[in-house]
Amino acid sequence: MTAAQLPPVAPEVTATLVEGLSPRLRKRLDASVTKLGSRPTHREGDTVTIAVDDETELRLHAPGGVVATADAITCGCLLAPACVHRAAAACAAPTAALTQELADRPTRAVPGHASATDPSPAPESASTPEVASPAQRAASDALWSAGAAVLEVGVDGAGAVTQSALLRAAHTARLRHLPRAAGAALSVVTLLRAARAGDPSYRTADLVTALAELLGTAHRVGTASGADLAAVRGRARRPYSPDGSLRLYGLFTEPVVTDSGHGGVRTWVAASDGRLCTVGDVAPGGVGRALGVADRAVRLGDSALTHRELGRAGLAVSGATVSPDGRLGAGKGVKAVTARGAAWTEVPLAALWETPPSEQAARALRSTSRYGDPERGGSDLLFLDVELLGAVRESGGICLLALCEGGVSVRLTAADEDPALAHRDNLMLLATAPGTRLRVIGRLVPAPHPRLILLACSHPTGEGTVDLGLDRLRRADLPDPAAPVHPAPPRPGGPGEHSPLHLLERRVEQTVPAGRAALGMLGDVSAETRRIRRAGLPTAAGLLTALCASAAQRDRDPFGRLRPADTDDFAIHWLSAARYTAAVAESLCAAAWEPTQEGSAAEPAVADR
């Protein structure tokens, strides 16, 4: 049995079942989750049945696709309903997305009185900024405590009981209209389960980001006010706002394949004013579905264009609706007809390549900032004119080195290594054509050197464009071989190329697998802090010293017994270090895209290509 075979379970259901277990059964819960994972399952309609043993069955009833109540999980063993099997099944299943019924429903409140679901006091005057209600502050405190508990024990100790506390806190936060923090808590639970299950797609850095987002958002709820509070609260559902009539021009189509087994495509289009929008079709199905959906009709109005065709054509849309992140709505009121597209060298698309790369990188970083406002919108795409230099070997494999405006060397990488997609083969073929000049579209990779995931490019012969994940280039598509070009190595000595910031990042990440104790046993880190200070990062050195000291701090009572660790103090130091390293890394990335002095003189030649 895998988690994907079970229906999603509402967070409050899992929390309720775990909280109802006796202390003895809680100790057995993690082992029961593992054992249940090896048992066969059977689905019939809305019910999934798990064979606990030869004589006992466990049933999860999920009308509408989600197990919404504790009574919907039943067990046939003698100890039911107080058995460990029901809670184990809930912990083994995926966590359902937070329901929006209460979060989106306007509450009725008598003027001057608190709301029944969110007792926020009425503002004293129109000029007084709104602050969090006592109920919201209590919910954020619970989220903080649950997140700090994860840092204390690490992945190894964050079993089903610890996860249950996060789920309960997330459910309460959702009821108190704090969807951003609640979503962060669910992300932490999902990543903890992936880590403990040995999921190959799990990355410690992702859990670091999710934990820092959870702790940071929970901490800000109590201090934010006005517009800042609105950003911290977040939105329960993505709002689509009316945008009237739009004239859209296709740019390219990219396949989308997720670790959760979903597949599809996303087609990028630009409006007349340069705004970027997307039309997507992603559902369970993996890479096979991604390749098939590319040739299906776009779900937008009455258009008969496929996604591949839209990437090179145009649309005239009336009654358009657009989300903050640029997704085009496909409601009944939306009408769309096929229109003429535009080449990348024509108005209005050509303007996308006219912005200097450094400005594009700064804009993309604002969009992808790990702890930025989710409603910030924007795109992480860059539009560059480049000259290919050839392949460069890295520790992670091969990438394509190119030179862009300002003399900046950019590493171009494949978006996906799956051989069913064309990304990798196309990249390797282009690497055999040094000196080729292309107009490319890629996704920024935050790194201390310029790095881009290559998504689309102009055809090497100059005719049309290439969706690098879907279209396969042939050797005959390359220009005639010219004089060999010897690739220049990436520009040495970039702003973050040799930064010792990784010494602090490593300690931040080291906490997550084994908890605070693992960091507390490091001992003297003065050699690392001296190296960081010599690099001109005294704040990083101070954060590393304080983080390790807090991890090792354990007071004793008058009888010499260790007192409980101060989880709040350690969480504050860890959060400060995590947020600092992210901010500095983004600054180093932005600086790496600045034009070089030697590249300034060659800039007109590159720009004219």
Side-chain angles (χ1 to χ4, degrees):
M1 180 191 74
T2 64
Q5 294 174 308
L6 299 179
V9 177
E12 62 271 24
V13 172
T14 304
T16 298
L17 291 174
V18 173
E19 291 164 358
L21 294 177
S22 66
R24 180 180 63 85
L25 290 180
R26 287 192 184 189
K27 293 179 180 179
R28 295 172 47 191
L29 181 56
D30 289 326
S32 297
V33 173
T34 302
K35 183 178 180 181
L36 208 60
S38 64
R39 303 302 301 168
T41 64
H42 172 70
R43 179 184 293 271
E44 184 175 345
D46 292 333
T47 301
V48 174
T49 302
I50 306 172
V52 177
D53 53 39
D54 294 339
E55 299 178 355
T56 306
E57 290 185 339
L58 180 70
R59 291 185 174 84
L60 292 83
H61 185 52
V66 175
V67 178
T69 65
D71 293 340
I73 302 180
T74 59
C75 182
C77 74
L78 295 177
L79 295 178
C83 63
V84 74
H85 302 132
R86 298 170 67 223
C91 293
T95 301
L98 295 172
T99 58
Q100 312 302 333
E101 296 178 1
L102 288 177
D104 292 337
R105 183 190 305 157
T107 56
R108 297 181 180 180
V110 179
H113 292 75
S115 162
T117 60
D118 186 9
S120 304
E124 296 178 3
S125 66
S127 62
T128 303
E130 183 186 12
V131 297
S133 69
Q136 288 177 327
R137 289 195 291 271
S140 66
D141 288 345
L143 286 167
W144 171 275
S145 297
V150 173
L151 278 180
E152 178 66 21
V153 299
V155 170
D156 295 342
V161 174
T162 301
Q163 295 168 26
S164 171
L166 278 166
L167 294 175
R168 172 61 69 193
H171 174 62
T172 303
R174 190 266 300 178
L175 294 179
R176 299 297 181 243
H177 304 275
L178 298 173
R180 178 175 174 180
L186 292 191
S187 295
V188 170
V189 171
T190 300
L191 289 166
L192 284 173
R193 290 178 175 178
R196 292 173 63 85
D199 189 332
S201 65
Y202 166 77
R203 295 172 61 250
T204 299
D206 292 336
L207 184 51
V208 168
T209 299
L211 268 172
E213 166 69 7
L214 169 61
L215 293 170
T217 304
H219 180 71
R220 289 173 59 195
V221 168
T223 59
S225 62
D228 187 37
L229 176 60
V232 173
R233 281 174 172 166
R235 291 180 181 269
R237 96 175 22 149
R238 181 181 294 110
Y240 282 83
S241 56
D243 209 337
S245 298
L246 293 176
R247 180 66 168 88
L248 302 174
Y249 300 85
L251 280 166
F252 72 100
T253 299
E254 63 170 321
V256 178
V257 181
T258 70
D259 295 330
S260 62
H262 288 66
V265 295
R266 180 189 300 116
T267 299
W268 289 82
V269 297
S272 301
D273 59 3
R275 284 184 299 155
L276 299 182
C277 300
T278 60
V279 183
D281 185 348
V282 179
V287 67
R289 187 178 189 278
L291 294 172
V293 168
D295 293 312
R296 293 183 188 175
V298 173
R299 297 175 181 175
L300 192 67
D302 299 324
S303 171
L305 290 174
T306 67
H307 280 273
R308 284 181 190 263
E309 293 169 341
L310 176 57
R312 297 173 173 85
L315 279 178
V317 183
S318 62
T321 58
V322 185
S323 71
D325 61 358
R327 300 191 189 192
L328 289 167
K332 295 182 179 179
V334 178
K335 301 185 183 300
V337 295
T338 304
R340 177 185 175 276
W344 287 2
T345 54
E346 298 176 348
V347 176
L349 299 186
L352 296 171
W353 279 264
E354 294 173 359
T355 304
S358 58
E359 294 182 20
Q360 293 192 51
R363 179 258 302 152
L365 279 170
R366 289 193 296 271
S367 171
T368 61
S369 176
R370 280 182 262 178
Y371 309 115
D373 180 1
E375 300 298 318
R376 59 189 175 272
S379 165
D380 57 358
L381 298 185
L382 267 65
F383 303 83
L384 304 177
D385 288 306
V386 302
E387 178 180 344
L388 303 184
L389 299 179
V392 172
R393 184 173 297 278
E394 298 181 318
S395 59
I398 300 290
C399 71
L400 175 58
L401 189 65
L403 188 70
C404 74
E405 179 182 334
V408 177
S409 296
V410 184
R411 293 178 176 101
L412 305 175
T413 62
D416 197 305
E417 298 288 340
D418 194 313
L421 300 174
H423 291 293
R424 187 65 180 173
D425 291 343
N426 285 335
L427 188 77
M428 291 296 95
L429 188 61
L430 291 173
T432 66
T436 302
R437 296 166 182 174
L438 297 175
R439 180 157 278 194
V440 303
I441 303 176
R443 179 166 289 116
L444 177 73
V445 178
H449 54 264
R451 194 175 189 88
L452 209 64
I453 295 173
L454 196 57
L455 299 173
C457 69
S458 57
H459 198 281
T461 63
E463 297 294 331
T465 60
V466 182
D467 295 337
L468 290 169
L470 301 171
D471 305 325
R472 290 190 179 272
L473 289 169
R474 306 298 177 190
R475 189 162 295 277
D477 295 321
L478 301 181
D480 293 333
V485 177
H486 300 286
R491 173 163 48 105
E497 202 70 43
H498 305 293
S499 169
L501 184 67
H502 69 275
L503 297 174
L504 178 57
E505 290 176 324
R506 181 176 61 184
R507 300 311 182 193
V508 169
E509 288 197 5
Q510 201 169 24
T511 307
V512 171
R516 178 192 56 78
L519 203 61
M521 294 186 293
L522 287 177
D524 185 20
V525 293
S526 58
E528 295 181 10
T529 58
R530 283 196 300 270
R531 182 180 170 188
I532 294 173
R533 288 185 188 279
R534 285 197 299 268
L537 297 171
T539 301
L543 287 170
L544 177 57
T545 300
L547 177 64
C548 293
S550 177
Q553 180 66 39
R554 290 294 300 273
D555 295 330
R556 295 182 180 272
D557 65 16
F559 298 99
R561 295 171 299 191
L562 284 174
R563 297 183 186 274
D566 188 345
T567 57
D568 286 346
D569 180 74
F570 177 70
I572 289 172
H573 284 94
W574 183 89
L575 175 61
S576 299
R579 297 294 293 266
Y580 172 86
T581 55
V584 174
E586 290 171 5
S587 297
L588 292 173
C589 178
W593 284 88
E594 292 293 336
T596 64
Q597 291 183 352
E598 59 270 24
S600 300
E603 181 177 323
V606 176
D608 289 341
R609 290 167 182 167

